[in-house]
Amino acid sequence: MKRGLLSFIALCCFFFFFCPSNFILVQCDESETTATHVRLGSEKITHLHFFLHDILSGKKPTAVLVAKPNTTDQGPTPFGSLFVIDDILTEGPEPTNVIGNAQGMYVSSGQDLPSLVLGVDFGFTSGEYKGSSFTVFSRNPITNQERELAIVGGRDKFRMARGFAHLKTYYLNLTNGDAIIEYNVTLLHY
Ligand SMILES: *[C@@H]1O[C@H](CO)[C@@H](O)[C@H](O)[C@H]1NC(C)=O
Ligand SMILES: *[C@@H]1O[C@H](CO)[C@@H](O)[C@H](O)[C@H]1NC(C)=O
Ligand SMILES: *[C@@H]1O[C@H](CO)[C@@H](O)[C@H](O)[C@H]1NC(C)=O
């Protein structure tokens, strides 16, 4: 039993240190002492540029408040509030030429300075990436004119994606919270 375990560890160490390439995954299976090699191809890098429209006002808002703490905190996004969004993504800053939508939620997470944490799936409905999406889970310090979000995954053409998005506020109405945000996205994916 003990010897079996030791040889298993030795085998794992062997594969770890003597892999012919750094791009090989080794799966050790204790019961069969077999190793499965999967060669990983080179990753693609994709840049995307679009505008996101986060509209809280009007008859058909794209961001709705679903929960809010019982505090006197005023403003469009009081600390502790939770919003669900289905924001359109467009080629330019005008709400025409829709290329996709961002669905998910954000919470207002800043005690002192207004800040959000986003859990949002950015999906595309036209063009080369139709049906594909990438996922953001990140802090978004909205009082900074420029900021960066972390991209943690993706679907379809963006499988295994990771990357970052560089954001600039293009338009913001401080009274009702409506905003148009410019996104420059860099993705590494298969
Ligand atoms: C909200 O807070 C106020 C003041 O603290 C309290 O009187 C009221 O009962 C609270 N309402 C709810 C629904 O908890
Ligand atoms: C995105 O990249 C373009 C071209 O480099 C640049 O003009 C624009 O300011 C960038 N926008 C953001 C939000 O980073
Ligand atoms: C900002 O929102 C308020 C409240 O909805 C509205 O009265 C005002 O016209 C808006 N400002 C701009 C510049 O659109």
Side-chain angles (χ1 to χ4, degrees):
M1 184 66 196
K2 211 171 172 187
R3 264 185 78 182
L5 186 67
L6 280 174
S7 26
F8 169 65
I9 292 170
L11 190 68
C12 286
C13 289
F14 175 82
F15 277 116
F16 185 77
F17 288 108
F18 297 100
C19 274
S21 149
N22 285 334
F23 301 102
I24 284 190
L25 273 183
V26 176
Q27 247 175 29
C28 289
D29 185 330
E30 190 174 5
S31 59
E32 295 177 21
T33 56
T34 55
T36 310
H37 296 254
V38 182
R39 194 172 288 276
L40 302 179
S42 57
E43 283 176 292
K44 291 189 204 81
I45 185 158
T46 298
H47 296 281
L48 302 166
H49 178 251
F50 55 80
F51 290 80
L52 170 141
H53 301 249
D54 194 48
I55 308 302
L56 283 75
S57 71
K59 285 207 180 74
K60 203 186 170 203
T62 66
V64 291
L65 177 66
V66 295
K68 179 174 132 25
N70 183 15
T71 55
T72 53
D73 190 357
Q74 294 301 310
T77 56
F79 172 65
S81 52
L82 166 69
F83 289 79
V84 169
I85 65 164
D86 185 355
D87 289 348
I88 57 165
L89 307 176
T90 57
E91 261 175 36
E94 295 80 33
T96 51
N97 288 335
V98 176
I99 56 163
N101 51 63
Q103 297 187 1
M105 63 192 109
Y106 56 75
V107 290
S108 179
S109 52
Q111 273 278 17
D112 304 318
L113 271 181
S115 185
L116 308 174
V117 170
L118 269 61
V120 177
D121 182 287
F122 288 73
F124 296 90
T125 51
S126 70
E128 192 184 346
Y129 300 110
K130 184 177 176 178
S132 302
S133 64
F134 66 82
T135 313
V136 162
F137 194 95
S138 189
R139 178 182 294 235
N140 184 359
I142 50 174
T143 54
N144 298 352
Q145 175 65 15
E146 296 191 26
R147 48 208 187 268
E148 185 181 310
L149 306 182
I151 294 165
V152 297
R155 299 165 52 248
D156 203 61
K157 291 214 168 111
F158 296 137
R159 265 179 212 154
M160 308 288 282
R162 63 198 199 286
F164 58 92
H166 190 221
L167 274 61
K168 266 188 216 162
T169 303
Y170 177 83
Y171 167 84
L172 173 65
N173 184 325
L174 282 170
T175 315
N176 60 21
D178 288 359
I180 301 170
I181 314 294
E182 183 184 5
Y183 274 68
N184 269 341
V185 172
T186 302
L187 286 173
L188 275 175
H189 60 97
Y190 289 112

